Amino acid sequence: MSDKVAMIVGGGSGMGAAAARKLAADGYSVAVLSSSGKGEALAKELGGLGFTGSNQSNDDLKRFVDLAMEKWGRIDALVNGAGHGPRAPLLEITDEQWHTGIDVYLLNVVRATRLVAPIMVAQKGGAIVNISTAWVGEPAAMFPTSAVARAGLAAYTKLFADQYAQHNVRMNNVLPGWIDSLPQTDERRDGVPMQRYGTSAEIAATIAFLASEGAAYITGQSLKVDGGLMRGV
């Protein structure tokens, strides 16, 4: 039995992998799922549990959770990353592409939460942190399915907080802006008040804070980590 256990779904690279490394450094035993096999390799490096599967498969997620529970007997933090959904001019996005976007950006969280939240309720505590996007509140044409589905994720997060805060189970969203795991351009960088891209390590630090006892009174929130890029108050 470990003192603290974190599951990272979509942790093979980028912000998810950085979160796995940070949580391991903070003393968590880590379980990492990715579809590429990179998560399995990372977990081995960190002395944890790796699993190759899809966050769009209920069966894969259940097996992943079952393996973590068999190994450690508890889950204290769940980090939900996402892949990339369809992008196209708004009126050219097909029904199938909209459904794919919802699968990638919303149902990834719903599926994993459905499995993990009851475990956290039974152990009287836990934190779920979802990697969303800074553009959820100021939608941009370049990320249409992401913005729409993640607006739904923001609502889901509020509904979850309403129902599960009484059990000391929290859910929050991290909203990254331009991060170094994305292609860099001068135009994008110059549009950020801090005049630089953020780093995956900075996102990981935010995730680790929201999973920690230091954030014990924070739930249902969507926290921008974007260098001041978004203008909404």
Side-chain angles (χ1 to χ4, degrees):
M1 301 285 279
S2 175
D3 288 336
K4 295 186 296 183
V5 176
M7 300 187 72
I8 299 90
V9 177
S13 60
M15 293 177 281
R21 292 184 184 279
K22 171 61 175 168
L23 290 165
D26 285 353
Y28 287 81
S29 297
V30 294
V32 187
L33 176 147
S34 77
S35 59
S36 65
K38 292 179 181 177
E40 197 163 345
L42 175 60
K44 184 176 181 180
E45 175 190 330
L46 298 174
L49 167 69
F51 188 84
T52 299
S54 172
N55 63 5
Q56 295 187 42
S57 165
N58 284 305
D59 289 342
D60 284 355
L61 287 167
K62 185 176 188 307
R63 182 64 182 142
F64 182 47
V65 171
D66 287 347
L67 287 170
M69 289 298 289
E70 288 167 14
K71 185 173 181 66
W72 293 301
R74 62 183 299 109
I75 300 169
D76 300 279
L78 168 66
V79 179
N80 288 306
H84 298 285
R87 294 167 57 182
L90 192 63
L91 298 185
E92 296 177 17
I93 302 170
T94 65
D95 285 7
E96 183 180 7
Q97 288 174 317
W98 280 116
H99 285 298
T100 298
I102 291 168
D103 266 342
V104 170
Y105 296 122
L106 171 61
L107 291 181
N108 66 312
V109 172
V110 173
R111 293 184 191 103
T113 299
R114 189 186 290 133
L115 293 167
V116 173
I119 294 168
M120 292 179 168
V121 169
Q123 66 194 25
K124 297 181 171 57
I128 300 171
V129 184
N130 309 314
I131 301 175
S132 182
T133 175
W135 285 269
V136 71
E138 299 180 37
M142 71 183 86
F143 305 123
T145 60
S146 168
V148 170
R150 282 165 160 167
L153 175 59
Y156 177 86
T157 298
K158 286 292 189 184
L159 291 168
F160 183 91
D162 286 345
Q163 296 176 47
Y164 288 92
Q166 64 182 311
H167 300 290
N168 195 34
V169 179
R170 302 179 294 107
M171 178 183 285
N172 294 288
N173 300 321
V174 174
L175 278 51
W178 295 121
I179 303 300
D180 61 5
S181 58
L182 299 167
Q184 301 198 31
T185 69
D186 291 344
E187 180 183 7
R188 291 175 178 177
R189 186 196 65 233
D190 293 346
V192 180
M194 294 190 89
Q195 295 289 288
R196 68 174 178 87
Y197 273 51
T199 68
S200 294
E202 288 168 330
I203 300 301
T206 306
I207 291 168
F209 165 66
L210 289 172
S212 76
E213 286 304 308
Y217 202 52
I218 301 174
T219 192
Q221 303 306 304
S222 293
L223 179 59
K224 299 186 189 81
V225 189
D226 65 359
L229 179 61
M230 295 299 150
R231 310 310 305 158
V233 176

